[in-house]
Structures are given as C-alpha cells and as structure tokens.
Amino acid sequence: MQLAIPQAPRRVPLSKVPGAIARLLRVLAMGLVLMAALGAGASALGRFVVEEQGFLSRAQELEGRVAAMTLPPRGEREGAEAKLEVLYAVDKVQYSASGVRTHAEYAEGLAPGALVTLLVDPRVPDKPREAAYVRSRAQALGLVPWGLGLGALVAVGLFARELRRTLRAELEPLRKGMLVWLTPDGPLPESRREVLFPATFRKQEQTLAVRARLSPGRAPVRNGEKVLAAVLSSLPGQARVIDEELARALGWVR
C-alpha cells in the first residue's frame, strides 16, 4: 500500500471516519437517556415539594397528647426519627393516629400525656404531622429548586464534556497528530470490539510507550511488524491506529 498523507492540519470529515458517527450517536443516546431520567426525577421531586407547600398552606395547628412512642436505640438517636401515637380533636371529633414522625432527640424528652403541636390538613384530618418536624423539613425543601438547577448544569456539563471527548478522540489525532510507526509489544489481539494494545515508537532518540487504539474488525496499515498510528501531544500515552479502510476513506492511499 502506497500512502499519500497530507501535512497537518488535515481535513478529516467525521462522516469519513468509519464507525465515528455510530459512536457519536451512542453518546448522544446515552445523554438523552440521562437527561430523561434526571427530568423524571426532577418532576417527581417538584411534585413532592408542591404537595408539601400545599399541606403547609392548608394545615391547622392543633394540640395533641402523646399516647405512646417508638424511639431508636439510645446510641442511634442523633439525627434519627421517632414515631408517636397521638390523641387530638378536630372540630370536636376525637382522633387517634400512630406513626407520626418527629425528631428522635425531641421525642426522648416526651412522656405519655405530654402535649405536642400538630399540623392537620382539614381535607385529611386523620393524618396529622408533628409541627416542628414538618417545618424543619420545609426549610430544607426550599433549597430544592437551587439543587435541581445546579444538578441540571452539572448534567449538561458532563454530557458536553463526554461529547467533546468523543469527538476529540475520533478526529484530533487524525487532523493534527504526528504519524508514527508503532511497534506492538506482542501480537495484536483479535476482537470484534475496539482493541487496545501496548506499543512503542521512536521520537528524537527516545522510545515512548503508548496505549494504541484500533477500531473493531479493522486491518491496520502495516510496515512489517509495525503499524501506522497518529499520536497527539495533548493526548499523551495514547495513539490512534490508522487502518486500511480509514486510510482509503480519507484519500491517503495513492
């Protein structure tokens, strides 16, 4: 095979690189799936925040009495939850409710018969909540929109970085890289997947080691035991093997 490779920077359209568009589409598909998952999570969290805000706007503050309580073990109460069984009245109707969550550190100071402040939604009077517990959670929920915005920015940034990394890995070595003859450390593995293998090349009296990348099922351009590859100073330790199909597609063969 006689090669006629232009000097860098070379014109390398993405459509001419075998398999590059398929790999780019996979990255795009993964990004869209990630965005959809994040969107679904954000939507569910947003509905929860709206429901909590609606409860706080409708709830009436009432007093109830502790009938019983369930506390975590003594050494595990810091930051943990306890559950109360409470008795209370709404419009002269007596109610009893169990499983009312509160802070364990607060509940350990209570005893049966102690008064507690409850918030009760008139629409659902049989599901009271302990007031201090609900209000402390509401303060944390106020940070949710900021957290969602920050999470969206991080997700977009990660997606853009991965997209840029994929494009760079596919094109930059071919466009701007130095072409060298690599000496593989051993026989090239046969695989239907992308092959990575250790190799070395000579540059200014130095022997440099790289991890070379060969597209799946492709025959590299050879010179005896050596294979042609592109290396880029901004991607140290990496090399992009030039296969025969790629060389022909880019017009690098006489």
Side-chain angles (χ1 to χ4, degrees):
M1 176 181 287
Q2 291 185 331
L3 299 174
I5 302 175
Q7 295 294 320
R10 309 172 189 92
R11 185 176 178 275
V12 182
L14 185 67
S15 59
K16 293 290 186 179
V17 180
I21 291 180
R23 283 187 285 274
L24 187 62
L25 289 176
R26 282 198 296 270
V27 173
L28 288 171
M30 290 174 61
L32 291 175
V33 169
L34 175 62
M35 294 297 179
L38 290 175
S43 176
L45 187 56
R47 286 196 299 272
F48 175 74
V49 172
V50 170
E51 289 172 0
E52 288 294 293
Q53 291 175 340
F55 170 81
L56 287 171
S57 66
R58 295 189 302 270
Q60 299 176 353
E61 190 173 293
L62 302 172
E63 279 194 341
R65 289 193 179 274
V66 176
M69 69 185 72
T70 303
L71 288 164
R74 186 171 297 277
E76 302 175 10
R77 293 179 183 177
E78 185 175 354
E81 293 181 354
K83 293 183 179 179
L84 306 177
E85 183 178 338
V86 294
L87 305 173
Y88 62 102
V90 179
D91 295 332
K92 299 182 180 181
V93 178
Q94 297 293 321
Y95 288 89
S96 172
S98 60
V100 178
R101 292 187 293 176
T102 187
H103 298 293
E105 293 169 297
Y106 167 68
E108 67 182 357
L110 301 176
L115 291 174
V116 291
T117 302
L118 304 174
L119 293 177
V120 179
D121 185 346
R123 299 180 182 179
V124 193
D126 58 342
K127 292 184 178 179
R129 302 189 193 182
E130 196 274 312
Y133 177 80
V134 173
R135 286 167 178 158
S136 66
R137 286 211 322 171
Q139 292 177 351
L141 290 176
L143 300 175
V144 166
W146 296 98
L148 291 176
L150 180 60
L153 288 176
V154 170
V156 170
L158 289 174
F159 174 60
R161 187 184 71 173
E162 183 63 20
L163 188 62
R164 180 176 177 272
R165 189 192 68 80
T166 301
L167 286 171
R168 188 181 182 199
E170 293 293 341
L171 298 180
E172 289 302 294
L174 301 175
R175 287 176 174 171
K176 302 177 182 178
M178 178 179 67
L179 299 179
V180 299
W181 290 106
L182 296 181
T183 302
D185 288 0
L188 297 186
E190 294 184 4
S191 174
R192 294 184 179 180
R193 297 183 178 182
E194 184 176 78
V195 173
L196 288 173
F197 60 91
T200 57
F201 69 96
R202 297 281 294 176
K203 179 183 178 183
Q204 296 177 353
E205 305 300 325
Q206 290 183 322
T207 300
L208 303 177
V210 293
R211 293 276 292 175
R213 179 166 62 95
L214 175 62
S215 298
R218 304 289 166 78
V221 176
R222 288 184 175 272
N223 181 11
E225 295 298 320
K226 299 179 183 295
V227 297
L228 184 64
V231 295
L232 198 63
S233 59
S234 59
L235 297 172
Q238 302 181 38
R240 207 299 189 179
V241 176
I242 310 299
D243 59 79
E244 294 180 1
E245 183 180 346
L246 175 60
R248 289 190 176 92
L250 296 177
W252 292 0
V253 177
R254 291 185 189 277

